[in-house]
Amino acid sequence: MRRWGTAAAALALTAAGLVATAGTADAASGPTGRSPSACSTAWGSGITSATGSSTTPLKNIRTGRSACYDRMVFDLGGTSGKVGYHVGYVDRFHQDGSGRVIPVKGGAILEVFVSAPSYDAQTGEQTYAGRAGKPLPGVRLTGYETFRDAEFGASFEGQTQVGLGTRAKLPFRVFQFGNRLVVDVAHHR
C-alpha cells in the first residue's frame, strides 16, 4: 500500500513541476509558445497594392492562426490570373460607395479591398453572403492573438471591401496563392 502512496506522490510532484515549467515558458514566450524574436518578419505596415486582371467572384472569406501571425484568406472561384488588391491601415472604416462609417473593434483597422465582387457579374447572383456593416459570415475570432473583428464593407464596382480589426497597428503581408488572396498580420512588431 505504501508503494502506491509513494508512486502517487512522486507523480503529483512531477506533474506540478511540468505545470510550473510550462507556465514559465508560456509567460516568457506568449500564448503561442514562441518568443517574439523567433517570429521576426521583414513585413511593413504601410499601404500595399497590386493591379490584377482577374474578375473572378469571391466565394468565401476564412481565417486561421499560426504561431507568428493571424491569417485571412479570400477564396476566389477558379481564377488563373493575378488578383488586384489594396490593403492598408485606416483611422475609420468607411463603406465603399456610401461613405457610411462602419464600426470595427480593435486597436487598429486594416482595410482590405480585393478585386473580386461578392456576386456573379453575369447573373447578379450573390457568391459570398457578406452583408454591409455586418460581421463576416462564419468567421469567429475568439482566441486569436492579433485579430479582433472582421466587418463586411461592401461589394461595389467589382471589388469587395473588408474591415479587419487588429490588436494594434502591426506588420502585415499580402500575397496570392493559386485562387486565394492571403493577408497575414504579425503577432508582434
Side-chain angles (χ1 to χ4, degrees):
M1 195 60 143
R2 184 175 173 161
R3 284 178 133 172
W4 286 108
T6 304
L11 185 59
L13 287 173
T14 302
L18 290 173
V19 169
T21 303
T24 304
D26 285 344
S29 61
T32 61
R34 295 193 61 158
S35 69
S37 62
C39 293
S40 60
T41 64
W43 308 344
S45 57
I47 293 171
T48 184
S49 60
T51 57
S53 58
S54 177
T55 57
T56 301
L58 177 67
K59 297 292 186 182
N60 193 29
I61 301 173
R62 54 195 168 88
T63 58
R65 295 178 286 178
S66 170
C68 298
Y69 53 83
D70 289 349
R71 171 171 282 181
M72 179 171 277
V73 178
F74 295 82
D75 291 318
L76 308 167
T79 185
S80 59
K82 188 167 167 84
V83 176
Y85 60 84
H86 182 86
V87 182
Y89 285 102
V90 295
D91 294 329
R92 298 177 89 185
F93 184 55
H94 294 271
Q95 182 183 26
D96 194 23
S98 75
R100 178 176 71 110
V101 174
I102 297 173
V104 179
K105 298 175 198 98
I109 302 168
L110 190 62
E111 183 175 51
V112 181
F113 284 100
V114 179
S115 297
S118 65
Y119 54 87
D120 184 301
Q122 301 296 321
T123 65
E125 184 178 324
Q126 189 175 24
T127 59
Y128 176 70
R131 292 181 32 218
K134 302 292 182 190
L136 299 181
V139 171
R140 305 288 176 259
L141 300 177
T142 303
Y144 280 69
E145 187 166 338
T146 298
F147 292 171
R148 297 293 182 259
D149 194 11
E151 301 288 330
F152 191 80
S155 190
F156 183 69
E157 294 185 348
Q159 64 182 4
T160 298
Q161 176 197 31
V162 170
L164 180 58
T166 61
R167 180 173 44 81
K169 188 176 180 179
L170 295 163
F172 67 90
R173 68 179 175 182
V174 182
F175 62 94
Q176 184 175 347
F177 183 73
N179 65 342
R180 297 176 209 100
L181 186 73
V182 178
V183 178
D184 292 336
V185 183
H187 291 168
H188 304 281
R189 292 185 192 343

